[in-house]
Amino acid sequence: MRIGFIGLGNMGSHMARHLIHAGHLVTVYDSRPEAAVEHLALGARWAETPAACATDAELLITMLPNPRVVEAVLLHGGAAEALPEGALWIDMSTSTPAAAERIATEVLDRRGVRRLDAPVSGMAHGAEAGRLQIFVGGTADDFRMCLPVFETLGDPDKVLHVGPLGAGYTVKLMINLLWFTHLVATSEVLAMGTKAGVDLGVLRSSLLASPAASHFLEHDVLSILVDGDYDDSFAMALACKDLGLAVDLGRDVGVATELSALVEQIYRRSRAHHGDLAGEMSPVRLYEALAGREFRLPNPTTAHDDAALSPV
């Protein structure tokens, strides 16, 4: 299949590589030509512009940092106008239904170009392993047609058709919003409990044995508790962008977002303290400061064993 791929960042670079290995004829574009060196060595073609990347594509995949860049590439970069009639655009960025709808209204609909929104979860390591979770919005027929491509990039058991156009964007924003909320709530509880004198490992084990257990507490927070890793693979600037999009969506659909807005404020405070490029789990550091200590478990082996034995 002839595939144009735009956006060779931390995740997109791995995704494009998997498509090349799967035997597709892949044309790549990124604002940084050096990002494509590996792909060209594997047999991909280089496009000088977004329009050139889309010109003869059966599928155009975009993996871009935000809705503004998606619109810039598709509209101002000419990719939407360059797509052949009958082609299909798959936006795998964390974007919004409104941005895609503007692109469709201005260009795609009159050119007979179909589209799917298919944002992903799994971070850079999931992209590298080809085990992403993919949440697809669009028609069932287009989803079925693109399923082999999605299964090249993601875990076949976690490639989900979640509804009509726009549903993929929404599901991804809700996943990120709830995960960031788990992070803030868990950090506050750990800070409060440990400052009140409870051992960190005992507190975590007690929470995991209770109805308050969560996947975040069992698995994700271990990167901090064991390794001191705040996940630099996903930057605070992007986390704040996603939170802003989620809060905006709540306003657009008329749902009050008091808690979500507070989580966004905490993330923005962490971004101001720790920088745009700090890891997405950096807000934990705000609560470590309140507790007067870093959250670290003294016995990493026990920490992993506890997680494996958790009832959750």
Side-chain angles (χ1 to χ4, degrees), residues 195-249:
K195 197 163 187 181
V198 180
D199 175 80
L200 177 64
V202 171
L203 177 58
R204 176 174 171 269
S205 297
S206 300
L207 292 167
L208 286 174
S210 79
S214 69
H215 186 280
F216 181 89
L217 183 65
E218 183 177 1
H219 298 289
D220 299 340
V221 78
L222 283 177
S223 70
I224 294 173
L225 302 185
V226 174
D227 302 317
D229 178 6
Y230 298 87
D231 188 19
D232 292 342
S233 69
F234 193 81
M236 282 297 298
L238 293 175
C240 289
K241 177 266 298 183
D242 288 357
L243 279 163
L245 292 176
V247 171
D248 287 347
L249 179 62

Side-chain angles (χ1 to χ4, degrees), residues 271-292:
R271 179 182 179 183
H273 278 283
H274 305 122
D276 287 354
L277 299 181
E280 64 177 331
M281 299 176 77
S282 293
V284 176
R285 295 161 68 183
L286 298 176
Y287 292 91
E288 289 176 328
L290 290 173

Side-chain angles (χ1 to χ4, degrees), residues 156-177:
D157 292 331
K158 296 181 179 180
V159 177
L160 305 177
H161 183 218
V162 296
L165 288 169
Y169 292 134
T170 299
V171 168
K172 176 61 192 305
L173 287 175
M174 297 302 97
I175 289 169
N176 284 9
L177 173 60

Side-chain angles (χ1 to χ4, degrees), residues 6 50-51 54-55 60 73-83 108:
I6 298 178
T55 297
L60 177 67
V73 164
L74 268 291
L75 297 177
H76 309 303
E81 284 283 3
L83 278 167
L108 299 183

